[in-house]
């Protein structure tokens, strides 16, 4: 059963997704990647968005490391790494959000994520190329990110007195994912320790009544239902968290945590699936209030990509049919609404009813990342169960 | 013909819009206003968003000054002014973006708009109450805003080398509107001078080929069509700009500028109206590329409110039937999609097809402002032509 999916995902990845980005995304003049690509691949904004530069470096490097050691992948990664290392950091070592086409600083975001994807790109590239400078810098940036998250005033966003101290799921996860990779490369026990703390931290985001991960929980366990961010449920993110948990747990196997991650996957799909129009909603207020996010009821590509991989992983780990049933549903929605058979890659943005709201293939937040990662990881998971 | 509109707008303003906010928005415990209100007025986020605190102070004061000197309006304005003056500014005099319910600082935005609406609220309140402290502070804040816009590094957003220097329509307009009010109150010629500069600046945003105002134009006249912000057309904002221009021109009457504003109103409606599903689109890329804004094809309440007033104003100024025809179209769309006959006030957010995307009446960017302002201004304009 899963083999059918594997064949299709393999074909899509190799024939329709990777070629789209290799053909349209590489800036051979200035280095780095164009990510603002129209349906047919035309560049509609030449800027270099650093989240997506780092993510593409990571993706090309991971493809080189784990799909096939094609020189083309390594060259594409090198094009991004060299551009990033030349341009992406300011005098204090902080990472810009965006650069002009030639690498001149354009904007700074008071968030750590540009640095996170910079770090992930460098580390994966170091694995691919053996470049010691990249490896060293990825370690240095990792520890800076830990500090930036602990002390957001270092990124010009001091914690103000009216902010309820809360744990942010995204911050937890990115640190955990970086540490997970580092822990497998270095003997330094601190990385394993960060992974262990991440698992415990993510478990605190679990809402046992609803079987989902919440985006924000109070550090002191206080109820946050009076605040929109306390009631915020991002089904795609909760689903992504479930599979990331399952990855992290390979370092600290634990049946209770595994069950929790699988329960969260089931619960997130049950609560996040739009029974009326199909597809996974983007944001939900757990008390049924309107959200502050205008795009709440839109259907975005990445929750569907994340769900496909999470379901493949759950199916291969447990052998349970219920995951295959959900996979069939999510996969059918994604292929009916996001996949573009004509030009390759996926569309990104539909309205609630499933009509395309934007025809772009990439933008300042959509690049060469969620789709190829989900397809590659799904292939690999299916291959693992088929290779005794 | 317009009298029918005036009667309906009067009734809606007095019976359905003002009562909704008076009943649900006032925080009699901590002061200030709740703005995150569900369809029926329930508060779903108790925070105080400063843009909307300042806007509501302005609106209640303006109603007191120009609709009817009801003590209830002045009291409601006082509730906001006292809260703002106690809590909204930091030690450097900068204005926070949001405060917790009791006024503790919550977040800071690297933009001048919280200060703009703070200033506008204080000034209009000073007109209503005669409070000299508010008047003095509004003057001080005005000049600070001029500096903050000129030197964005003062708001922690330095101009980086990769940014193309450009004129931002929103910044121009807010300064012009504040100066317009100040110029009518103070003899100081500098305010008139700012208004004059604003008119010239707005005229530089006019795209004569398309008959619209663009959001960004290069300071050196360079073509910005290679950048998404250079191609960005925000029909609602362009329409709002048209009527603001007509207001500013009362201080500097000029037939060519008046024609330009009216042409921009017509052009913005022609290009911004969605022929397929009706209503005014939120963002449009002038070269037909996808936008970076996910909400581009949504229909928002405020462009429709702005268009109603702009069309009433154009109709009363010119007596031309074409404006009444457009008013009929926009008014019909707004009343079919945004007006809530059950609980009062307007909904804010529909998808392109006109289905409600969010059921809220207010949020962190929707408060007591666009709807009552459009209704009040429309009434007043119709009354002016009917009062020889």
């Amino acid at each position: 059963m899963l083999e059918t999916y594997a064949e299709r995902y393999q074909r899509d990845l190799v024939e329709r997704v990777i070629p789209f980005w290799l053909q349209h995304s590489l800036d051979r003049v200035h280095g780095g990647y164009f990510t603002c690509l129209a349906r047919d691949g035309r560049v509609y904004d030449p800027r270099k968005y650093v989240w997506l530069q780092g993510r593409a470096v990571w993706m090309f490097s991971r493809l080189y490391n784990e799909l096939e050691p094609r020189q083309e992948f390594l060259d594409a990664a090198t094009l991004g790494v060299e551009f990033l290392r030349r341009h992406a950091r300011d005098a204090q070592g902080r990472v810009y959000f965006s650069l002009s086409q030639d690498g001149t600083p354009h904007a700074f975001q008071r968030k750590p994520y540009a640095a996170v994807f910079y770090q992930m790109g460098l580390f994966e590239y170091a694995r691919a190329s053996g470049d010691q400078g990249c490896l060293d810098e990825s370690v240095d940036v990792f520890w800076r990110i830990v500090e930036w998250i602990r002390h957001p005033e270092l990124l010009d966003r001091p914690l103000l007195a009216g902010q309820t101290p809360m744990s942010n799921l995204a911050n937890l996860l990115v640190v955990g994912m970086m540490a997970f990779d580092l822990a497998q490369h270095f003997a330094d026990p601190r990385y394993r320790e960060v992974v262990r703390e991440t698992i415990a931290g993510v478990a605190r985001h679990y809402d046992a009544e609803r079987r989902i991960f919440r985006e924000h929980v109070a550090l002191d366990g206080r109820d946050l239902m009076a605040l929109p961010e306390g009631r915020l449920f991002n089904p795609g993110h909760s689903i992504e968290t479930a599979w990331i948990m399952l990855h992290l747990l390979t370092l600290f196997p634990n049946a209770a945590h595994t069950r929790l991650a699988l329960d969260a996957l089931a619960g997130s799909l049950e609560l996040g699936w739009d029974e009326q129009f199909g597809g996974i909603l983007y944001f939900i207020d757990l008390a049924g209030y309107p959200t502050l996010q205008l795009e709440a009821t839109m259907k975005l590509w990445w929750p569907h990509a994340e769900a496909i991989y999470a379901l493949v992983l759950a199916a291969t780990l447990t052998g349970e049919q219920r995951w295959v049933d959900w996979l069939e549903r999510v996969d059918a929605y994604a292929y009916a609404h996001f996949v573009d058979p004509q030009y390759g890659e996926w569309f990104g943005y539909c309205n609630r009813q499933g009509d395309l709201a934007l025809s772009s293939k990439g933008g300042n937040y959509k690049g060469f990342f969620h789709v190829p990662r989900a397809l590659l990881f799904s292939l690999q998971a299916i291959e693992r169960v088929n290779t005794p």
Side-chain angles (χ1 to χ4, degrees), chain A:
Chain A
M1 178 62 190
L2 286 176
E3 290 69 29
T4 322
Y5 287 99
E7 279 163 29
R8 179 152 47 83
Y9 294 160
Q10 164 87 35
R11 207 169 51 237
D12 280 358
L13 176 63
V14 172
E15 293 174 15
R16 281 138 55 119
V17 175
I18 297 172
F20 181 88
W21 295 94
L22 279 176
Q23 189 179 342
H24 303 295
S25 179
L26 311 187
D27 182 353
R28 303 204 186 271
V29 177
H30 295 283
Y33 314 107
F34 302 117
T35 60
C36 294
L37 303 177
R39 181 181 181 188
D40 59 5
R42 275 176 308 155
V43 177
Y44 64 89
D45 177 1
R47 289 209 183 95
K48 308 289 168 62
Y49 294 94
V50 174
W51 287 35
L52 305 182
Q53 306 294 309
R55 284 172 159 188
V57 168
W58 179 87
M59 193 71 234
F60 282 122
S61 302
R62 180 59 70 98
L63 289 170
Y64 181 84
N65 291 330
E66 303 193 2
L67 181 72
E68 190 192 337
R70 259 160 69 183
Q71 189 61 36
E72 201 177 11
F73 297 156
L74 190 62
D75 290 348
T78 305
L79 190 74
V81 154
E82 290 181 349
F83 181 83
L84 278 177
R85 296 189 78 195
R86 199 173 309 124
H87 301 298
R89 301 180 72 184
D90 72 5
Q92 302 169 56
R94 307 190 305 183
V95 180
Y96 292 112
F97 173 71
S98 52
L99 308 165
S100 63
Q101 182 178 356
D102 67 5
T104 317
H106 174 259
F108 177 70
Q109 206 181 31
R110 299 172 296 173
K111 294 177 180 173
Y113 308 118
V116 165
F117 299 114
Y118 182 93
Q119 191 282 339
M120 285 176 61
L122 251 58
F123 179 81
E124 195 67 23
Y125 181 75
R127 279 185 61 206
S129 64
D131 185 311
Q132 186 65 36
C134 282
L135 189 66
D136 295 344
E137 190 180 349
S138 76
V139 168
D140 175 68
V141 174
F142 172 78
W143 291 110
R144 285 174 183 249
I145 292 168
V146 170
E147 279 304 289
W148 288 330
I149 289 175
R150 206 170 284 160
H151 303 288
E153 67 276 15
L154 297 171
L155 297 183
D156 290 348
R157 182 169 256 161
L159 263 173
L160 300 177
Q163 285 173 28
T164 308
M166 48 181 88
S167 168
N168 173 315
L169 185 59
N171 287 349
L172 262 178
L173 288 180
V174 293
V175 171
M177 286 182 76
M178 290 184 289
F180 179 70
D181 284 347
L182 291 163
Q184 290 168 85
H185 192 88
F186 292 108
D188 186 338
R190 291 179 302 166
Y191 299 120
R192 277 181 66 87
E193 181 55 23
V194 172
V195 173
R196 214 187 46 74
E197 285 166 12
T198 302
I199 293 170
V202 169
R204 277 194 292 275
H205 281 256
Y206 186 65
D207 174 334
E209 183 192 331
R210 297 175 180 85
R211 294 178 301 133
I212 60 165
F213 292 111
R214 293 207 195 189
E215 289 300 303
H216 305 94
V217 294
L219 292 179
D220 57 8
R222 201 179 346 161
D223 177 79
L224 294 182
M225 288 294 280
L227 294 175
E229 63 269 47
R231 299 190 302 267
L232 187 65
F233 170 43
N234 177 330
H237 201 218
S238 185
I239 289 165
E240 185 182 11
T241 304
W243 72 249
I244 292 173
M245 257 308 239
L246 294 171
H247 283 210
L248 302 185
L249 288 169
T250 58
L251 295 189
F252 295 93
N254 174 311
H257 280 145
T258 301
R259 201 162 46 240
L260 181 149
L262 291 170
D263 286 349
L265 175 56
S268 300
L269 282 161
E270 286 163 25
L271 198 58
W273 187 261
D274 182 351
E275 288 298 338
Q276 196 176 352
F277 297 103
I280 298 166
L281 292 158
Y282 195 30
F283 291 110
I284 291 175
D285 182 289
L286 291 174
Y289 283 112
T291 61
L292 294 174
Q293 293 84 0
L294 304 195
E295 64 273 32
T297 56
M298 290 177 74
K299 307 286 163 65
L300 271 67
W301 89 104
W302 70 261
H304 298 82
E306 295 304 319
I308 284 174
Y309 171 56
L311 289 164
V312 166
L313 181 62
T316 58
L317 288 179
T318 66
E320 292 170 5
Q321 180 62 29
R322 60 174 175 149
W323 306 119
V324 182
D325 294 342
W326 262 116
L327 175 61
E328 196 178 326
R329 213 167 168 188
V330 176
D331 175 273
Y333 187 90
Y335 273 75
H337 293 86
F338 296 114
V339 171
D340 179 8
Q342 189 170 353
Y343 291 101
E345 181 50 31
W346 291 22
F347 295 113
Y349 306 93
C350 291
N351 70 10
R352 182 170 178 194
Q353 286 72 9
D355 309 302
L356 213 55
L358 288 177
S359 62
S360 47
K361 293 292 173 51
N364 48 356
Y365 289 101
K366 181 177 191 290
F368 185 54
F369 186 62
H370 286 287
V371 172
R373 182 176 73 168
L375 298 177
L376 174 68
F377 282 16
S378 295
L379 286 178
Q380 292 178 318
I382 297 167
E383 197 172 291
R384 272 196 301 276
V385 288
N386 291 338
T387 317

